[in-house]
Amino acid sequence: MKRFVRLAFALACGLLVAAGAAQAAERTVVVVLFDGFSPAMADATTTPNLDRIKREGAWSRHLVPAFPTLSMTNHNSYSTGCWPEHHGIVSNIFYDPKRGLFGRGADLDDADWRTGCETMREAAERQHVRAAVFNWVGRWSKTRGARASYINPDVPYLLEPGDDRVADKAIALLRDNGPNHPRLIALYFQGPDEAAHYHGVVAPETQAAVRHADAIVGRLMAAIAALPPGREGTLVIGTDHGMIDVGPLVNVGRLMEKFDIHAKQASDGGTAFLYLDKGESADRVAAVLAPYKDVFQVYRKGHFPPFAHLGNGPRLPDLMLVTHPPYWMVGPEMFPQWADMLGINYFWPVAFVPFTGGLKAEHGYDPAIVQMHGIFYAWGAGVAKGKQIPRLDMIDIHPTVMKLLGLQPGHPVDGKPVDALFAQ
């Protein structure tokens, strides 16, 4: 009898140890941001790996970006879980009264431009979980140094490693079973953005870029599946914005010259910010621009639309112009010298279709426009299988990733975990 009791006790202990080992599997989350990846792009070509995630994981056609639906705003909302009014990156290009111009000529990688909110990598490191970040903006700070245990060096954008090299770095870290490997790996990929801008949303060149992105997804899935016993992995994939095919551009320089508007402008995609000079009247400028309501909507500071979530801080313009597709905005600094010599900023129409050098697709518009929505996929440990999510906001990615890691989100955070994603 005693022997039987001892045997039963030993078996029970063994089962408990085995259960504890299963529960203690260390989870690594790989977070991917593909630039400018809309669902229509995936629909237009073959994506076997993304299709596999639809069967085995969770996905959505409606990852709704923050406004403006531009890269820098959403890179930061994706990583912090905050609206622009809280993280402070209010557009691709804007003026700060103390720091000057953000965007062209400014260091986009410097985390010191962000005025609030923790990124997922900073929140993880604060909770003693190592993070790796490759090619993502804000991965370093001029005053505080690297914002994660592993980052690639800060170099000009054109010298940063390409998408395949970034995938190589991530896979090498997934294969690292040493004591210092990261449990959060955040990756930015150029994705189909540039091809879509210059060729169109479903052009052959864009389809090729989508297939390349899908191949990278497949490599990451294989590396996660190959993790050794005691480790498990989750892949979270999103984008910063969608894309829509466009036609005429709005010549902001000509607009300002025509109506003698004294201001600094910051124009990109579907939006333009006007910072009025001292003595210039916001009432006057709004009035002279009102007849263009079929081309763009004019909003005054303090009266921005609810979808903006821009707050009322010092980086915001006195007037904001939001175009209606298929129109898009171009500031005078974007025209080459020969175009300026032709008088594009002084004599040409306010809106026209460029005969050369124009873009075929753009973003930056009202996030309610469905083409601004992006892809979302999640696969692996802790994720429900075959689950389609009707919609989620860009700010929901951060708290979802942190929950997958078993960590608290950064502080503050505006988003919420996407509960429908998690396995029951």
Side-chain angles (χ1 to χ4, degrees):
M1 184 68 179
K2 290 182 179 179
R3 184 180 178 185
F4 175 79
V5 171
R6 285 197 298 269
L7 179 61
F9 181 78
L11 286 171
C13 289
L15 290 171
L16 287 172
V17 169
Q23 291 173 358
E26 181 193 73
R27 181 176 295 173
T28 297
V29 179
V30 180
V31 183
V32 167
L33 173 64
F34 283 115
D35 209 314
F37 199 151
S38 69
M41 296 174 185
D43 293 344
T45 188
T46 55
T47 56
N49 296 298
L50 294 178
D51 292 344
R52 178 184 168 191
I53 295 179
K54 286 184 178 182
R55 298 189 303 270
E56 299 179 3
W59 61 285
S60 180
R61 299 178 62 88
H62 299 285
L63 174 56
V64 183
F67 179 82
T69 51
L70 297 168
S71 294
M72 293 302 103
T73 300
N74 282 284
H75 288 197
N76 284 278
S77 289
Y78 191 112
S79 63
T80 65
C82 289
W83 293 118
E85 64 184 309
H86 295 139
H87 63 61
I89 308 302
V90 296
S91 187
N92 273 2
I93 310 167
F94 60 83
Y95 284 91
D96 180 280
K98 295 181 179 179
R99 300 194 61 164
L101 178 67
F102 175 89
R104 299 184 180 97
D107 195 342
L108 302 178
D109 274 342
D110 186 0
D112 290 345
W113 277 99
R114 205 174 62 247
T115 57
C117 304
E118 287 182 299
T119 62
M120 59 182 77
R121 65 247 183 194
E122 291 168 325
E125 294 275 358
R126 176 173 53 78
Q127 295 172 73
H128 311 294
V129 170
R130 289 183 179 85
V133 188
F134 298 121
N135 278 14
W136 210 304
V137 296
R139 63 186 180 271
W140 72 283
S141 155
K142 285 186 176 178
T143 60
R144 295 168 289 157
R147 308 310 299 148
S149 294
Y150 302 88
I151 68 168
N152 58 308
D154 175 58
V155 294
Y157 176 76
L158 293 177
L159 298 179
E160 287 186 334
D163 288 358
D164 288 319
R165 182 64 184 128
V166 169
D168 291 343
K169 289 177 177 288
I171 291 168
L173 287 174
L174 285 167
R175 291 172 176 168
D176 179 3
N177 293 311
N180 296 320
H181 63 260
R183 288 184 52 219
L184 172 64
I185 302 175
L187 311 171
Y188 166 79
F189 294 108
Q190 297 173 11
D193 180 82
E194 185 171 352
H197 274 307
Y198 290 101
H199 300 285
V201 171
V202 296
E205 295 85 351
T206 307
Q207 293 181 37
V210 168
R211 290 192 295 271
H212 185 204
D214 185 74
I216 288 173
V217 170
R219 293 181 63 201
L220 294 173
M221 292 171 73
I224 289 172
L227 289 172
R231 293 184 63 189
E232 62 183 15
T234 310
L235 180 61
V236 175
I237 301 168
T239 186
D240 47 358
H241 52 75
M243 282 275 192
I244 189 170
D245 288 332
V246 293
L249 66 81
V250 177
N251 184 352
V252 176
R254 175 69 179 111
L255 199 65
M256 294 174 70
E257 188 279 336
K258 180 176 181 179
F259 295 108
D260 194 28
I261 298 171
H262 297 274
K264 296 194 296 286
Q265 63 81 35
S267 307
D268 197 6
T271 61
F273 286 1
L274 297 182
Y275 299 85
L276 303 182
D277 292 350
K278 186 176 181 180
E280 179 60 277
S281 167
D283 288 338
R284 183 191 78 84
V285 176
V288 298
L289 297 180
Y292 289 91
K293 63 182 180 181
D294 291 335
V295 177
F296 55 79
Q297 190 73 33
V298 182
Y299 297 97
R300 294 189 55 172
K301 186 175 182 179
H303 301 279
F304 291 163
F307 62 72
H309 295 287
L310 291 172
N312 200 33
R315 293 178 170 180
L316 296 181
D318 299 289
L319 294 171
M320 178 174 69
L321 315 184
V322 182
T323 51
H324 309 302
Y327 296 97
W328 51 291
M329 296 278 190
V330 171
E333 76 283 358
M334 291 300 294
F335 289 111
Q337 185 176 9
W338 62 264
D340 196 46
M341 292 175 65
L342 287 176
I344 276 188
N345 290 311
Y346 300 96
F347 307 111
W348 283 42
V350 167
F352 66 95
V353 177
F355 59 85
T356 183
L359 299 182
K360 301 297 184 182
E362 257 294 8
H363 49 95
Y365 306 97
D366 181 342
I369 296 171
V370 71
Q371 290 91 339
M372 293 300 96
H373 300 182
I375 61 161
F376 175 79
Y377 296 88
W379 174 87
V383 177
K385 293 185 177 181
K387 183 72 173 183
Q388 183 174 4
I389 299 167
R391 62 157 283 163
L392 66 161
D393 287 314
M394 194 67 64
I395 58 171
D396 297 332
I397 304 295
H398 170 112
T400 300
V401 169
M402 300 307 285
K403 184 173 179 178
L404 284 165
L405 284 166
L407 301 176
Q408 293 297 312
H411 182 77
V413 66
D414 295 318
K416 296 180 180 178
V418 183
D419 291 333
L421 172 149
F422 294 92
Q424 300 300 317

